[in-house]
Amino acid sequence: MNRTLLLRIAVAIILLTHSVFGMFDNGINDFGNLFLNQIGFAPFGVFLAWSIKLSHVVAAILLISNKYIKLAGFVTIFVLLMGIVLVHFKEGWFVVGGGRNGVEYNFLLIVVLLAIMYPDGFKKENKVL
């Protein structure tokens, strides 16, 4: 069994549930109109919100199928970092408990994605000339 399988499935489930429900309850449009457009992305807030959520769905499919893992990881990490910068950082570290809506969950997802992308760590490959 692939050693990253459980992590890939777990992250895929998180990405899918974080995205798919918003597609059916107007959450994505609200995020685009009521948040992204308000912080300077108008008139592209809804387009950007849908792009983010669709990138999560594609990344989930790629993680489950074990294809283009680094591409899926880099795109998702970029989205998570932007979420930290634009939304979560000002709320502090904690998602719940010591605060609300902080960076800790995004931080954990980024580290897990890096572990999936680089299961052997960041060591340099020995290449023969």
Side-chain angles (χ1 to χ4, degrees), residues 23-35:
M23 294 176 179
F24 298 104
D25 71 358
N26 208 38
I28 296 173
N29 291 333
D30 286 348
F31 178 64
N33 281 317
L34 302 177
F35 181 73

Side-chain angles (χ1 to χ4, degrees), residues 65-122:
S65 64
N66 202 21
K67 304 284 185 199
Y68 303 105
I69 296 298
K70 286 186 179 171
L71 176 63
F74 283 126
V75 170
T76 305
I77 287 170
F78 175 75
V79 170
L80 293 167
L81 286 171
M82 295 311 299
I84 288 172
V85 169
L86 297 173
V87 179
H88 303 290
F89 185 77
K90 66 182 174 237
E91 303 295 336
W93 177 257
F94 298 101
V95 173
V96 296
R100 182 170 162 11
N101 206 25
V103 303
E104 68 180 326
Y105 195 66
N106 282 34
F107 174 81
L108 177 62
L109 285 174
I110 290 168
V111 171
V112 171
L113 283 165
L114 288 171
I116 292 168
M117 294 162 62
Y118 300 98
D120 296 321
F122 295 109

